[in-house]
Amino acid sequence: MFDVEPIIADHKDVIHDVVFDYYGRRMATCSSDQTVKIWDEDEHGRWQVTSSWKAHSGSIWRVSWANPEFGQVIATCSFDRTASVWEEVMGDKVSTTSAPTRRWVRRTTLVDSRTSVTDVEFAPKYLGLLLATASADGIIRIYEAPDIMNLSQWPVQHEIANKLSLSCLSWNTSTYMVAQLLAAGSDESATPTGKVFLFAYIENARKCVKIETVNDITDPVTDVAFAPNAGRTFHMLAVASKDLYIVKIRGVTDATGNSKLELETLKFSEHNCPVWRVCWNMLATMLISTGDDGCVRIWRMNYTRQWKCAAVLKAEGSGPTYEPNPTTPTLATTASATAKFYKKGTIGNQVPWH
């Protein structure tokens, strides 16, 4: 069952991103009002704003939490052509009985982009404190903090140029098959080509390069999200575009013995409108998507390993509706569907009395 609980955000303009921290106990929101708000969940399960500040001089598109191993650190990106890294620090106690005040300090501003910075995301923990940004100029920049105790230094490690403008990106959290796999999407509408690109770090060349393009998706892309890998032998990438897509990425070996990626694209049109955001749960058993229809759709894989819409949450707060799904078969129904019958003999019309 799903409960819908509205939260009064008190932003003065459109909210572009809502992101939970690693433990799901804190939340960050950003808006076109140029502010970032940090929310904490109290003991009653209610969300309260604990910090709010003006972070940029333009609309703020995205916010990302770093792994808590590196402290309470977030990154933001904006239409003002910059990305910023913020760290929460403890202030002085107001009184001996009160808790110390907390405030967010800008540690650095990344100014390499000459156009709007459309997305920002911290890398998985095993890669260290890396930060990737995507820009409307079609360039992905990967920064690294060499000293996690000094977050003012973020030299550029890689610059990956792309012909199309970029609107979103996502790190793959798994090391299986391809190390440092990164996906990016483009919202370019004038070019009828593939709009989702896969990048990887090539050890021999010692740089990140584009290794694959998803040619099945030619409409503008607004969001991409890799699914956490929970023991699968393939990767899954959710894509928000004119419709919802799930791209399965498998590693195969061709006839010459070279390894390559095999892509399978699944399309879902239940939104009947452009899809804006996608995200996965921790085990990748559930996919959540939002669209122009004002609904949040929750997708789950059924017993036939097909993704189906399990519930629809309405933005008006009227409560969730549940899509009719085929019931999970019992052992008896499964046996009757797969059983084979053979003729062993004939029973006569007259049965003798015993």
Side-chain angles (χ1 to χ4, degrees):
M1 301 296 291
F2 302 96
D3 294 326
V4 178
E5 180 182 352
I7 300 174
I8 306 302
D10 199 31
H11 277 289
K12 305 304 181 185
D13 210 326
V14 178
I15 298 174
H16 292 290
D17 205 9
V18 179
V19 182
F20 290 94
D21 74 342
Y22 181 83
Y23 299 107
R25 301 300 303 272
R26 309 192 78 184
M27 181 172 67
T29 59
C30 63
S31 167
S32 280
D33 63 6
Q34 306 175 10
T35 65
V36 173
K37 293 181 184 291
I38 303 297
W39 305 70
D40 286 282
E41 188 180 20
D42 62 20
E43 61 274 12
H44 303 292
R46 294 188 295 264
W47 292 94
Q48 306 290 338
V49 176
T50 54
S51 296
S52 178
W53 69 96
K54 181 179 178 180
H56 290 271
S57 59
S59 296
I60 304 175
W61 304 129
R62 296 292 185 115
V63 58
S64 176
W65 289 88
N67 190 279
E69 179 179 298
F70 304 112
Q72 295 297 303
V73 179
I74 65 171
T76 56
C77 64
S78 171
F79 181 74
D80 65 5
R81 301 179 295 180
T82 67
S84 295
V85 178
W86 308 82
E87 184 180 19
E88 187 180 44
V89 297
M90 294 296 180
D92 298 331
K93 288 186 177 183
V94 179
S95 64
T96 57
T97 58
S98 64
T101 59
R102 296 182 297 181
R103 60 190 179 92
W104 289 82
V105 178
R106 190 199 305 264
R107 292 305 188 189
T108 191
T109 300
L110 309 174
V111 296
D112 300 282
S113 177
R114 295 294 176 263
T115 57
S116 173
V117 182
T118 53
D119 201 356
V120 60
E121 186 172 319
F122 284 102
K125 182 185 70 172
Y126 74 90
L127 293 175
L129 194 52
L130 296 183
L131 180 68
T133 64
S135 303
D137 57 8
I139 297 178
I140 295 176
R141 295 176 175 88
I142 300 178
Y143 302 86
E144 182 178 12
D147 182 5
I148 63 174
M149 303 303 294
N150 179 17
L151 297 184
S152 62
Q153 302 297 321
W154 289 82
V156 178
Q157 298 297 312
H158 305 283
E159 279 196 0
I160 313 169
N162 197 66
K163 294 181 179 179
L164 301 180
S165 63
L166 299 177
S167 58
C168 51
L169 57 83
S170 176
W171 287 95
N172 186 15
T173 58
S174 172
T175 60
Y176 175 73
M177 197 163 59
V178 180
Q180 297 192 32
L181 186 61
L182 185 69
S186 171
D187 58 358
E188 175 69 46
S189 58
T191 309
T193 58
K195 296 298 192 303
V196 178
F197 316 101
L198 300 178
F199 304 89
Y201 179 76
I202 305 301
E203 191 68 38
N204 295 336
R206 310 193 78 171
K207 64 179 182 178
C208 290
V209 298
K210 182 167 68 174
I211 60 173
E212 196 64 68
T213 301
V214 183
N215 294 314
D216 295 331
I217 304 175
T218 57
D219 294 307
V221 172
T222 54
D223 198 15
V224 291
F226 268 110
N229 193 311
R232 295 185 311 274
T233 57
F234 58 92
H235 300 305
M236 290 192 298
L237 177 69
V239 180
S241 182
K242 182 180 178 181
D243 297 293
L244 173 67
Y245 296 88
I246 296 179
V247 181
K248 294 183 178 180
I249 306 170
R250 290 182 170 87
V252 296
T253 304
D254 58 18
T256 61
N258 296 322
S259 299
K260 65 176 184 177
L261 298 182
E262 181 181 77
L263 308 180
E264 178 188 358
T265 305
L266 307 176
K267 179 180 177 181
F268 306 92
S269 303
E270 279 81 347
H271 274 281
N272 295 314
C273 66
V275 182
W276 285 101
R277 290 286 187 268
V278 287
C279 66
W280 299 87
N281 69 339
M282 186 175 293
L283 296 177
T285 57
M286 189 181 298
L287 173 64
I288 297 91
S289 62
T290 62
D292 264 350
D293 54 0
C295 295
V296 176
R297 294 183 181 268
I298 300 176
W299 306 78
R300 304 189 71 168
M301 183 184 292
N302 62 13
Y303 67 94
T304 60
R305 305 189 68 80
Q306 294 181 346
W307 288 91
K308 298 293 182 181
C309 183
V312 180
L313 309 182
K314 301 295 180 62
E316 296 81 9
S318 58
T321 59
Y322 299 93
E323 300 292 329
N325 285 329
T327 56
T328 303
T330 62
L331 180 60
T333 57
T334 305
S336 63
T338 58
K340 295 182 179 180
F341 297 91
Y342 299 92
K343 181 178 179 180
K344 289 296 187 179
T346 304
I347 300 176
N349 294 331
Q350 295 183 359
V351 179
W353 292 93
H354 297 284

